Amino acid sequence: MPRATDIAYEAVRQMILSGEAGAGSRLGEAELAETLGLSRTPVREALQRLGADGLVEVLPHRGARVARWTRQDLAEIFELRALLEPYAAARAARLGQDAAVLDDLRERCAAMERAAAEGDLDLVARLNGGFHAAIIEASGNGRLPGMLTSVMHAPLILGTFHRYAPDAMARSMNHHRELVAAIAAGDPAWAESVMRAHIRAAAAHLTEEEEDQER
């Protein structure tokens, strides 16, 4: 049976990722506890965990609020991803993967492509997060998921895929397929280079969108 803190954590996390609780929104312990039917202690612990994930700002004597993302935050996030995720992809290729892992990655690609074709971009974002998480898991490095947790939320919160033109979406889907091919081929250099290009393309696209909105 899930602990109360885990229940609170997942509930508030989904509020943030879905946009129900927008950037800068106050997250009151008492109000959340009442809404979730829990005591304040597990809610407080959940907010602390979400703070460690980078989703929440816990302010001394002022409570908690949903974190805001500045351009500098985005630059740092994608810089970290461009360092760590290519490493994960290279490790996944170097280790060699059994047929079940490769079939799972291919099915994730197919599911994203179907969601994109149907215009369900929120689903694309969730599936994309799962795809990247699966590659990180396939790297065999148990420390990577914890290191990447906070930076993997950015595409979901920012609605990255809602900003993609058709050619950018197609490029992203093709990168996913090529990543799986590189891992299946056991070619670390190929996998690393594709993942780096994939992350940098996403960063460049998002930066262009942010600049356009500021004009």
Side-chain angles (χ1 to χ4, degrees), residues 5 32 61 145 185 197 209:
T5 299
L32 287 170
H61 311 299
E209 290 291 321

Side-chain angles (χ1 to χ4, degrees), residues 146-171:
M147 296 174 71
L148 282 162
T149 294
S150 62
V151 299
M152 293 298 291
H153 294 308
L156 286 169
I157 296 172
L158 297 169
T160 302
F161 288 103
H162 286 275
R163 309 179 184 204
Y164 274 30
D167 60 334
M169 181 68 78
R171 180 181 60 208

Side-chain angles (χ1 to χ4, degrees), residues 71 74 158-160 162-163 205-215:
R71 186 183 294 184
L74 295 178
L158 297 169
T160 302
H162 286 275
R163 309 179 184 204
H205 186 78
L206 190 57
T207 300
E208 289 171 3
E209 290 291 321
E210 292 294 321
E211 290 175 349
D212 289 344
Q213 290 179 13
E214 291 176 3
R215 289 181 185 139

Side-chain angles (χ1 to χ4, degrees), residues 57 67-80 151 154:
E57 296 175 343
R68 296 182 184 275
W69 300 79
T70 66
R71 186 183 294 184
Q72 181 61 33
D73 291 330
L74 295 178
E76 292 173 357
I77 283 167
F78 280 100
E79 183 177 358
L80 284 171
V151 299

Side-chain angles (χ1 to χ4, degrees), residues 12-152:
V12 179
R13 179 175 176 274
Q14 288 305 314
M15 288 172 59
I16 296 169
L17 296 182
S18 69
E20 180 182 346
S25 299
R26 180 178 175 275
L27 297 168
E29 286 181 13
E31 293 89 340
L32 287 170
E34 182 177 357
T35 298
L36 300 174
L38 301 169
S39 68
R40 293 180 64 167
T41 297
V43 170
R44 185 180 306 117
E45 292 173 353
L47 292 174
Q48 292 290 342
R49 283 175 58 184
L50 290 162
D53 288 349
L55 292 177
V56 168
E57 296 175 343
V58 181
L59 307 171
H61 311 299
R62 287 185 290 170
R65 69 183 181 191
V66 179
R68 296 182 184 275
W69 300 79
T70 66
R71 186 183 294 184
Q72 181 61 33
D73 291 330
L74 295 178
E76 292 173 357
I77 283 167
F78 280 100
E79 183 177 358
L80 284 171
R81 291 188 64 188
L83 288 169
L84 295 175
E85 291 195 64
Y87 165 75
R91 275 186 60 94
R94 187 176 296 112
L95 290 176
Q97 304 298 325
D98 62 28
V101 171
L102 295 171
D103 286 346
D104 175 66
L105 290 172
R106 292 186 184 105
E107 177 51 38
R108 290 175 187 274
C109 288
M112 275 187 282
E113 291 160 1
R114 288 193 297 269
E118 294 167 3
D120 191 343
L121 302 181
D122 290 330
L123 179 56
V124 172
R126 292 194 297 274
L127 292 170
N128 178 73
F131 176 82
H132 282 261
I135 290 181
I136 291 165
E137 182 178 353
S139 76
N141 186 319
R143 297 180 184 275
L144 276 177
M147 296 174 71
L148 282 162
T149 294
S150 62
V151 299
M152 293 298 291

